[in-house]
Amino acid sequence: MKLTTRPGKPYPLGASWDGKGVNFAFYATHAEKVELCLFDKEQPDVESIRIAIRDRFDGVWHIYLPGIAPGQLYGYRVHGPYDPAKGHRHNPAKLLIDPYARAIAGRIEWNDALFGYEIGHKDADLSMSHADSAPYVPKSVVVDAFFNWGRDIQLNIPYHQSVIYELHVKGFTHLHPELPENIRGTYAALAHPVIIKYLKDLGVTAVELMPVHHFVADRHLVEKGLTNYWGYNTIGFFAPDVRYCSSGVNGEQVKEFKTMVKELHKAGIEVILDVVYNHTAEGNHLGPTLSFRGADNLSYYRLSNDDHRYYDDYTGTGNTLNAGNPNVLRLIMDSLRYWVTEMHVDGFRFDLAPALVRELRDADRLNAFFDIIHQDPVISQVKLIAEPWDITETGYLLGKFPPEWAEWNDKYRDTMRDYWRGADSKLADFAARFAGSADLYENTNRQPTSSINYIAAHDGFTLRDLVSYNDKHNEANGDDNKDGGDENRSWNCGAEGPTDDAGINELRSRQQRNFFATLLLSQGVPMISAGDELGRTQQGNNNAYCQDNEISWINWLQLDHDLLQFVQYLIKVRKQHPAFSRNRWFRGHALTGGGMEDIAWFLPNGDPMQEAHWQTGFAKSLGIFLHELESHNDDPLDEVISHENFYCIFNAHHEAVEYYLPGQQYGQQWKMIINTDRPDAVHARKIYRSGHPIKAAGRSMILLKSAGKTIRAAGE
């Protein structure tokens, strides 16, 4: 096969089809020679043609091939020094995935030939392997970028109106009985009317998809019969993973992903991607050569100052992407921009975000990464959510990201868990988290919506397991139950908990309702882990990263319908009443001319909390008054359209406690709209008067609204 070639252009990077041919542009600044390899779809393991690229500009090798069309499979071979001590690991025997590939056909087939060195050699990675890796590497794919988006645009739902739902594409849909079998576990399944109706009925405004960038299942897991189920092991930052595509592997995954986004947008649901730009799937110095390492190891990775043979590891995965290098930073920014402009996603959650902001060896808030995002007219306008820590001592940056960022708030998670399990935690901590974590965000010109609040996420116990297990059960992971950290938080509070089966089951159910009520009534942005509203269990596994099976998948035939209905109602309450989703801080004192506080704190006897009550000892009982000040719309001239008041009663004692309602200036009559002890009690029409007592059951939460406008519960 003979092809006509032209020099092409150095930008855009990747493979770009213009209707007549394809421009290939590949960054490899330290390479001495780069070859483009083409493969036929009928025989993807056999190289059909190899073309030496002769033109390069500023480290980018480029060539144009007339007549090449979408669906063409390709890869690269890079010649250059193989000198690990100096950071160079070029090896032309290794076929490389294009770091800018828009689609990747297939998965890694593990073989010793994938490694740049000879496995078992006495010099380990200092040796050089000459085995051809092409038969075992998935091929990059030329794609047709055209898609009929119609009128689709990003939804731009304000943070204070958002309820985020973290889900795994496969785990959420794989066992759903109402989905056609051929699309279960795929992007098409998330676009199906059955799934969209469920999300709409639940009331969430955004799905946060666990990693869908094309990733690699680690060799050691595959050899144990496991896999990298979560997907935090990226090899293609532009390519939607082929595992979740029902329609094909040669570019069809791009169209299917776009269709999913379009259908979710039609339903008013945003799509946020969990992205992993902090490391790649190539691991440490003993890892495989799949893409970045063979293209330009010295540029793409952070290497040890002492010996460039080794990698700086801020991620616990063996390597850290070198975002301080301008060309690597360009790759990250190009990827983010691609997912916004071409794939129409609405935002990103950045895994181990501090690993991206290290210009030297310590995380630096003034890093160029932040500056560039702040100035970018595309990326700065979507949701940016940080996991604000990495594995190092200097990598915990909760509360230190710039104003346009939101953050996963692990202090919220830990405080609320401690409170409801009856730990010796101070009410001041609980109050601070409930009111939006002003101690973390207010002094840096940020809002309550900077806090992404959550009780459970993919990493850790499900909510059902959190209230059911004292110890983790990760035996299926093959690491002697030593992985997954330590979450033995004693859900039943020792001797204070019930001992009979009926009492234990009721406590578990009530604790789940307590957590959901706390989460959805707190200031900040609530995030729900998919299936927690259904009572999903992982049988005590708190680290199911390698379990692509019934341990992780949602079982739609075993649902807690009562819990689901309760959560639907809670989300409805939150959406109907801006008191629970403010985009401004509480003032906490008398308002000008009104004589009314927007928030006030009370002891169970009805007396206001004083400074001494916050500072001394531990407590488990609190009453919170809220005055609804926010508008239901975004018109800045419409200051207030409702003056409804709310009173929240929190009782983490194992025994019932009487709470006296506050004085008449806070409200004369109250109606119960939430009771986690008796969810059906909200249907009662009983009116409670100021100064009168209400008995809150042990470990329960009650919400009252000033009598007047009513809220209809789900099913009423």
Side-chain angles (χ1 to χ4, degrees), residues 409-426:
N409 189 343
D410 64 322
K411 286 189 176 180
Y412 179 93
R413 175 199 64 196
D414 295 344
T415 297
M416 296 315 184
R417 287 185 177 190
D418 282 347
Y419 177 77
W420 282 115
R421 74 183 179 94
D424 288 336
S425 55
K426 291 187 176 181

Side-chain angles (χ1 to χ4, degrees), residues 26-30 78 87-90 95-101 104 214 216 233-238 276-277 279-283 288-301 311 319-322 327-328 331-332 335:
F26 181 80
Y27 173 75
T29 193
H30 294 100
V78 177
H88 298 300
R89 293 179 180 269
H90 300 299
L95 185 78
L96 305 180
I97 298 168
D98 183 358
Y100 274 77
I104 297 173
H214 197 98
V216 173
N233 207 31
T234 304
I235 200 62
F237 292 111
F238 295 79
V276 191
Y277 293 107
H279 74 279
T280 79
E282 292 183 305
T289 296
L290 307 174
S291 178
F292 309 91
R293 173 173 283 140
D296 197 340
N297 185 68
L298 189 61
S299 296
Y300 277 115
Y301 293 113
Y311 296 78
N319 68 60
T320 304
L321 210 61
N322 185 16
N327 293 288
V328 180
L331 175 138
I332 295 173
S335 171

Side-chain angles (χ1 to χ4, degrees), residues 315-384:
T315 65
T317 63
N319 68 60
T320 304
L321 210 61
N322 185 16
N325 181 292
N327 293 288
V328 180
L329 185 57
R330 176 176 64 178
L331 175 138
I332 295 173
M333 299 301 293
D334 285 348
S335 171
L336 291 170
R337 203 174 295 112
Y338 173 80
W339 286 96
V340 174
T341 59
E342 295 293 327
M343 309 296 263
H344 283 211
V345 304
D346 302 274
F348 306 94
R349 178 266 188 188
F350 292 80
D351 179 68
L352 301 181
L356 292 171
V357 296
R358 293 177 179 273
E359 290 182 341
L360 297 174
R361 287 299 182 265
D362 292 329
D364 182 355
R365 184 173 178 238
L366 301 179
N367 183 274
F369 179 69
F370 287 147
D371 295 338
I372 291 176
I373 283 184
H374 179 74
Q375 297 167 20
D376 190 281
V378 173
I379 303 170
S380 64
Q381 300 306 303
V382 301
K383 288 183 170 64
L384 303 171

Side-chain angles (χ1 to χ4, degrees), residues 249-274:
V249 303
N250 296 316
E252 293 87 353
Q253 56 267 55
V254 177
K255 182 178 180 180
E256 187 168 320
F257 185 93
K258 290 179 177 179
T259 301
M260 174 197 71
V261 173
K262 184 177 179 180
E263 293 304 312
L264 287 167
H265 280 180
K266 284 181 182 178
I269 298 171
E270 293 184 316
V271 178
I272 299 171
L273 301 188
D274 191 339

